[in-house]
Amino acid sequence: MSAIADVARLAGVAKATASRALSGRGYVSEATRLRVVAAAREIGYVASPNAASLVTGRTKNVGVIIPFISRWFFSEVLESLEQALLAEGYDMTLYNLPAASAERDSVFEYFLARKRFDGVISVGVALSEAEVDRLHRLGRPLIGIGGPIRDVHTIAIDDVATARLATEHLLGLGHVDVVHVGGDPIDEMDFRVHSQRLSGFYSAMRDAGRSTDRCFYPCEFSMPGGYEVGLSVLGDPRTRPTAIFAASDEIAIGVIVAARELGIQVPAELSVIGIDGHPYADMFRLTTLEQHPRRQGHLAVSALLTELARPTDADARPEEDGYLTVLPTNLVIRSSTSGPHRPRR
Amino acid sequence: MSAIADVARLAGVAKATASRALSGRGYVSEATRLRVVAAAREIGYVASPNAASLVTGRTKNVGVIIPFISRWFFSEVLESLEQALLAEGYDMTLYNLPAASAERDSVFEYFLARKRFDGVISVGVALSEAEVDRLHRLGRPLIGIGGPIRDVHTIAIDDVATARLATEHLLGLGHVDVVHVGGDPIDEMDFRVHSQRLSGFYSAMRDAGRSTDRCFYPCEFSMPGGYEVGLSVLGDPRTRPTAIFAASDEIAIGVIVAARELGIQVPAELSVIGIDGHPYADMFRLTTLEQHPRRQGHLAVSALLTELARPTDADARPEEDGYLTVLPTNLVIRSSTSGPHRPRR
DNA sequence: CTTTCTGCTGGAACCGGTTCCAGTATCGTC
DNA sequence: GACGATACTGGAACCGGTTCCAGCAGAAAG
């Protein structure tokens, strides 16, 4: 284990000088700098980050808390976060936050309390008031992705508006019996995603003068979830809707698979639209509103770096503005949507 | 920032005593222990892990290197690793290792060299000889998942045997024209997964006396990949096989979707089998060989903990045995496979 | 020729814990 | 009553860096 003292000895300088030479802070003559660097290379010296962060207080590490890893949106965000942080010399500690449980508490009380990071990025976690307080008390910059957190700069899409857009696309094609299949607001998995997409749907329907009775079917937020509900919603030809707005592409694809199994032509007999921009969308020719998780990840990292560069906490934040960065979604029309072909009563 | 010195002062003891009381190592009377704990709680003391690991050398952190995050197998493993580590009081630093590139080198030279972890788990990474050396030189325990690494305890399934089993299932049903759709061994993504599953297939075919000409179709290792190849392999009725062994469930599902679009009945006209135990398998009624990524993750963690508990590195390892833990896969028969119903020439 | 500034270097303190070692009190044993 | 073992406590060294401060050149300014 070579320490900086060894490097200093080999280079014939003091520890202080060696430290300055290697970190690049403070005065060091070019000649000695080269000597120190050479010595360091010779013995394969790598600075101990523990010792450094003990005195500087910065760890070059970012904590990420996230409720799921294996779902598309989350794994995409995670990958982009990791890339962006790596490029900036930060490594990433991952905290997979389960629903309310002893493990969840331990993340807050034990792991996060250790403060082994310079900042935290919270991805789509539904935080309780107490949890938000705890995060703030850590005294570290905090950035959110996927839904607003009190007093935290958050990167997100506008779920209400996006759901509204999706619904309006179907209504604009002339559909009357439009149905929404999505996550149940009761067991809100992360943010207000379920309820917000639902409310965007409802408001678009109301604005178009449509009834909102019996047109929401909750399902598990996955492809099998959409499939299952799809089978039951589409099973009865008499009550079958002509268009379905699914809260996610995976749900939408589940619905399409169900429709195909039931012999229902998409889009001739049924239009389906989703939200996400999932890589499978193309293969199922799914019309969707693309959000861009990787872009959200990159933005979150640069927002965090900005906060980290801010000289002191006491420094007034720039006018509370820019606190919610809303990213646009874009409509990609494929052939899962068209006007209703069946005559309606 | 409350330090242990503050706790000691408040409890009226020395730093040393406070440390012993809180860590539970060494003699402390019950009375003072309680006093110290109370004092610590009062001022909300949390030990600085940096300071602790500076002197003890252990970080209570485990590094995980992984080539993908968003693919099913990897995200499942990751989730299980995180859970298991958390339960043991370890947090997890994630290094998403891209294919050979400057970023990849930086992970080894910069991030891993910092040694901010007690051990490393490598998940399905194809490591070069030089990289394996570098990992060993870190002087930290190393566990592999998904493929053998030189001198490293690895948890894996037997890809050759599993592929053989899948193929034999199809052959056993009486299929003659059996085809394998899988990853291209040329751009091996992680371990020898592609080539091993291919060779298991070939050997089963040869053992059954079947020709192995023109019966392997490489594709991207994903559902769209399987779909695309499925369309082309199944497109021509004259050359269409009666059974397909797909290297993964996602590929298999892609093939099934392609078959359905082409109006080919599964399993009446085409049997399909996959490998994985993907959550979508049920909904597509896919026969598959289940591997259990979560179990692999848990085993890797306990193997790592065992290594960490080993007193010294100099200590002889237990006879090199148990160095490869091979996990069984189990056949789950659903209705994507059956005997060939079409008369054969 | 002094004074001041700038560039550079080394000694020492410090970050916040852990652990070694010495010292004391209590207890059981011969 | 002497002795050793056992339970407990505090002082001090230490882990491996960073940073403050003082000191000392040599150059520029007065």
Side-chain angles (χ1 to χ4, degrees):
Chain A
M1 298 305 101
S2 55
I4 200 170
D6 303 328
V7 177
R9 197 175 316 122
L10 185 58
V13 297
K15 267 174 62 181
T17 306
S19 172
R20 277 185 297 251
L22 294 171
S23 69
R25 274 181 294 275
Y27 290 121
V28 181
S29 79
E30 187 60 13
T32 57
R33 218 211 72 216
L34 290 176
R35 228 157 7 104
V36 171
V37 168
R41 177 160 342 193
E42 185 178 334
I43 60 178
Y45 168 77
V46 179
S48 153
N50 283 320
S53 44
L54 179 57
V55 46
T56 61
R58 19 198 71 244
T59 62
K60 279 287 182 177
N61 181 87
V62 168
V64 171
I65 57 182
I66 197 163
F68 309 98
I69 294 178
S70 55
R71 295 195 187 185
W72 176 75
F73 175 81
F74 296 94
S75 59
E76 287 286 308
V77 168
L78 211 52
E79 247 179 44
S80 67
L81 288 177
E82 215 279 337
Q83 276 172 19
L85 288 172
L86 193 106
E88 300 289 340
Y90 283 79
D91 49 24
M92 178 175 107
T93 308
L94 187 60
Y95 299 101
N96 184 8
L97 207 61
S101 63
E103 288 81 38
R104 183 176 175 116
D105 292 341
S106 83
V107 170
F108 281 93
E109 282 163 26
Y110 176 60
F111 289 101
L112 293 178
R114 296 203 281 199
K115 296 202 269 200
R116 209 145 48 164
F117 39 72
D118 294 339
V120 174
I121 297 177
S122 163
V123 186
V125 190
L127 296 165
S128 72
E129 276 299 304
E131 288 169 347
V132 173
D133 281 342
R134 274 209 271 224
L135 286 179
H136 278 125
R137 273 202 299 272
L138 292 175
R140 297 276 188 280
L142 178 59
I143 301 290
I145 295 183
I149 308 174
R150 173 164 51 80
D151 295 335
V152 172
H153 182 175
T154 301
I155 321 288
I157 62 166
D158 184 336
D159 280 298
V160 177
T162 303
R164 169 181 275 280
L165 235 58
T167 312
E168 285 168 354
H169 174 68
L170 297 176
L171 293 171
L173 289 169
H175 289 279
V176 178
D177 290 351
V178 179
V179 151
H180 176 52
V181 176
D184 196 331
I186 298 299
D187 59 353
E188 192 68 70
M189 63 173 182
D190 34 27
F191 268 111
R192 309 282 151 262
V193 179
H194 297 177
S195 54
Q196 292 204 13
R197 293 187 184 174
L198 179 57
S199 88
F201 167 72
Y202 277 150
S203 72
M205 290 288 275
R206 273 193 300 268
D207 287 0
R210 304 293 152 77
S211 150
T212 56
D213 291 351
R214 310 184 135 274
C215 61
F216 169 58
Y217 295 87
C219 73
E220 206 212 334
F221 214 84
S222 68
M223 191 185 300
Y227 172 72
E228 207 171 315
V229 171
L231 286 181
S232 79
V233 170
L234 303 172
D236 186 342
R238 294 165 306 176
T239 61
R240 183 200 303 163
T242 66
I244 291 181
F245 157 44
S248 79
D249 281 358
E250 289 203 51
I251 295 175
I253 291 169
V255 168
I256 290 177
V257 171
R260 289 182 183 176
E261 281 189 17
L262 293 169
I264 299 166
Q265 300 290 320
V266 175
E269 298 172 272
L270 177 75
S271 284
V272 180
I273 187 170
I275 294 180
D276 267 350
H278 195 286
Y280 295 172
D282 195 44
M283 129 183 195
F284 287 95
R285 307 189 229 353
L286 178 64
T287 296
T288 189
L289 279 142
E290 290 185 343
Q291 63 172 323
H292 302 275
R294 308 189 81 89
R295 198 187 298 163
Q296 295 181 44
H298 281 102
L299 280 172
V301 169
S302 51
L304 184 65
L305 291 175
T306 308
E307 299 256 350
L308 287 172
R310 200 193 301 289
T312 65
D313 272 301
D315 219 8
R317 278 169 171 147
E319 288 304 314
E320 295 286 321
D321 86 333
Y323 248 46
L324 183 62
T325 303
V326 177
L327 274 139
T329 50
N330 58 294
L331 180 64
V332 176
I333 298 179
R334 297 198 182 86
S335 49
S336 72
T337 49
S338 70
H341 287 203
R342 281 191 305 174
R344 306 299 305 164
R345 62 191 133 80
Chain B
M1 298 305 102
S2 56
I4 199 171
D6 303 329
V7 176
R9 199 176 313 122
L10 184 59
V13 298
K15 267 174 62 180
T17 306
S19 172
R20 277 184 296 249
L22 295 171
S23 68
R25 273 181 293 275
Y27 290 120
V28 181
S29 79
E30 187 60 15
T32 56
R33 217 211 73 217
L34 290 175
R35 225 153 11 101
V36 171
V37 168
R41 177 162 340 197
E42 186 177 332
I43 61 177
Y45 167 78
V46 180
S48 152
N50 283 320
S53 44
L54 180 57
V55 46
T56 61
R58 21 197 71 244
T59 61
K60 280 285 180 177
N61 181 87
V62 167
V64 171
I65 58 182
I66 197 164
F68 309 100
I69 295 179
S70 54
R71 295 195 186 184
W72 176 74
F73 175 80
F74 296 93
S75 60
E76 286 287 306
V77 168
L78 210 52
E79 247 179 44
S80 68
L81 288 177
E82 215 279 337
Q83 276 172 21
L85 289 171
L86 193 105
E88 300 289 341
Y90 284 79
D91 48 25
M92 180 177 105
T93 308
L94 187 61
Y95 299 101
N96 183 7
L97 207 61
S101 62
E103 289 82 38
R104 184 177 175 114
D105 292 341
S106 84
V107 169
F108 281 94
E109 282 164 24
Y110 176 61
F111 289 100
L112 293 178
R114 297 204 281 199
K115 296 201 271 200
R116 208 140 55 160
F117 38 71
D118 294 338
V120 175
I121 296 177
S122 163
V123 185
V125 190
L127 297 166
S128 71
E129 276 298 303
E131 287 169 346
V132 173
D133 281 342
R134 274 209 271 226
L135 287 179
H136 277 124
R137 273 202 299 272
L138 291 176
R140 297 277 188 277
L142 178 58
I143 300 290
I145 294 183
I149 308 174
R150 173 163 49 80
D151 294 336
V152 172
H153 182 175
T154 301
I155 320 287
I157 61 167
D158 184 336
D159 280 298
V160 178
T162 303
R164 168 181 276 281
L165 236 57
T167 312
E168 285 168 353
H169 174 69
L170 298 175
L171 293 170
L173 289 169
H175 289 276
V176 177
D177 290 350
V178 180
V179 151
H180 177 50
V181 176
D184 196 331
I186 299 300
D187 60 353
E188 192 68 67
M189 63 173 181
D190 35 25
F191 268 109
R192 308 283 151 264
V193 179
H194 297 178
S195 52
Q196 292 204 11
R197 294 188 184 174
L198 178 57
S199 88
F201 166 73
Y202 278 151
S203 73
M205 290 288 276
R206 272 194 300 268
D207 287 359
R210 303 294 152 76
S211 151
T212 55
D213 290 350
R214 312 185 134 274
C215 61
F216 169 57
Y217 296 87
C219 71
E220 205 211 334
F221 214 83
S222 68
M223 191 185 301
Y227 173 72
E228 208 172 315
V229 171
L231 286 181
S232 79
V233 170
L234 303 172
D236 186 342
R238 292 166 307 174
T239 61
R240 185 201 302 164
T242 66
I244 290 181
F245 158 44
S248 80
D249 281 358
E250 290 203 50
I251 295 174
I253 291 169
V255 168
I256 290 177
V257 170
R260 289 182 184 177
E261 281 189 18
L262 294 168
I264 299 166
Q265 298 291 319
V266 174
E269 297 173 273
L270 176 76
S271 284
V272 180
I273 188 170
I275 293 179
D276 268 350
H278 194 286
Y280 296 172
D282 194 45
M283 125 182 198
F284 287 94
R285 307 191 234 346
L286 177 66
T287 295
T288 187
L289 279 143
E290 291 185 342
Q291 64 173 322
H292 302 275
R294 310 189 78 91
R295 197 187 298 165
Q296 295 182 43
H298 281 103
L299 280 171
V301 169
S302 52
L304 185 64
L305 291 175
T306 308
E307 298 256 349
L308 287 173
R310 200 193 302 288
T312 65
D313 273 303
D315 220 6
R317 279 167 170 147
E319 287 306 311
E320 295 286 322
D321 85 335
Y323 247 46
L324 183 61
T325 303
V326 177
L327 274 140
T329 51
N330 58 293
L331 180 63
V332 175
I333 299 179
R334 296 199 183 85
S335 49
S336 72
T337 49
S338 72
H341 287 203
R342 281 190 305 175
R344 307 296 308 163
R345 60 189 138 80

